[in-house]
Structures are given as C-alpha cells and as structure tokens.
Amino acid sequence: MKSTLVAGLTATRRYEVDKGRTIGFMGDEARVYNTPALIYDMEVTARDLLLEHSDAGEDSVGTRVEVDHLAPTLLGQWVEITVTVEEVKGPGVTFSFTAKDSLDNIGKGVHKRFVVGVEQTKARLLAKAEKAKSAS
C-alpha cells in the first residue's frame, strides 16, 4: 500500500439501476434496487479507491459488511454511492459508506477490506482447491 492511503479519502460512483440490480419477486411493477446489488456496488467503489493507492501486485478482498438499506430505488433511477476511508490499520481498511438516489438517502453502513498480494492469494487458493479435491 502506498502512503497516500489515509483516513478521510473519499470516492463516489453512480450506478444505473438496471433490471439485473432489482428484485423481481413482487412483479415488474415493484422492481427496486436489491440489497445484494447495493452491497456489490459499494464494494466495487471501495475496491476501486483502494486500487488507486495500491502497489503493483496488490488488490483487496472484502471481510465485513454492515448495511442499512433505508429506502427503495426504482428500476431506471440511478444510485450514487460514496465511500470514505475511516481507518487504515496495516493491511486492514475500514470504510463508511452512504448511498442515495435522486430523491432519498437509501443506504449507509460500514465495510472492511483487507489488502492482499495477488500472487500469494492465488497460491493459497490453489492449495485450498487441491485440499478440497483430496477431501471429496
């Protein structure tokens, strides 16, 4: 991680609420932004901010999400997500986030990520895959 990764950094991204980001179980008239999409979009926003401050060969993985999904956002609206670095503690980074659409604040929460070496992580995952093969 670069020394530029410090508390107080923010990033904002806007996402269009397309059909894939909505619930469908109440019918097409009730399609709204789903909570898993909110979490995914927030994680992408946080990861992208971290990548701007990462060294070559580094990336990050999510380790914790606390989310309050406060209001619906309709199919076709946009959602704007803002993440803020609250704490950098070694490879662990804590973010707060807010989400809004054109009418309401629709979400807020906390997200934690862990900065990892890509090659070391791949090696660890391959070792786990081998273990899983022999366990089945």
Side-chain angles (χ1 to χ4, degrees):
M1 268 185 315
K2 297 177 181 167
S3 61
T4 56
L5 181 63
V6 295
L9 289 175
T10 66
T12 301
R13 286 193 58 188
R14 185 174 282 194
Y15 299 89
E16 296 300 319
V17 179
D18 56 18
K19 193 172 183 180
R21 285 185 164 91
T22 63
I23 62 168
F25 55 82
M26 292 193 297
D28 282 342
E29 310 79 35
R31 283 196 174 273
V32 294
Y33 191 45
N34 65 50
T35 303
L38 169 62
I39 292 168
Y40 179 81
D41 292 341
M42 175 276 302
E43 284 204 73
V44 168
T45 304
R47 178 179 172 260
D48 286 350
L49 174 60
L50 280 180
L51 286 173
E52 293 175 21
H53 301 276
S54 295
D55 292 320
E58 289 181 331
D59 208 320
S60 65
V61 294
T63 60
R64 184 172 178 85
V65 175
E66 299 171 33
V67 62
D68 294 319
H69 198 161
L70 305 169
T73 301
L74 304 174
L75 175 65
Q77 284 188 289
W78 52 261
V79 170
E80 194 172 84
I81 297 174
T82 300
V83 297
T84 301
V85 176
E86 297 294 336
E87 181 180 51
V88 179
K89 198 173 198 178
V93 183
T94 302
F95 294 88
S96 62
F97 73 91
T98 58
K100 66 179 185 175
D101 61 26
S102 60
L103 300 172
D104 296 304
N105 291 320
I106 64 124
K108 65 179 182 173
V110 175
H111 178 46
K112 294 187 178 195
R113 297 192 70 75
F114 195 83
V115 176
V116 297
V118 173
E119 292 306 315
Q120 296 91 329
T121 301
K122 285 180 183 178
R124 194 171 68 249
L125 295 174
L126 286 171
K128 184 170 183 170
E130 286 301 315
K131 238 185 208 181
K133 280 183 195 173
S134 58
S136 39

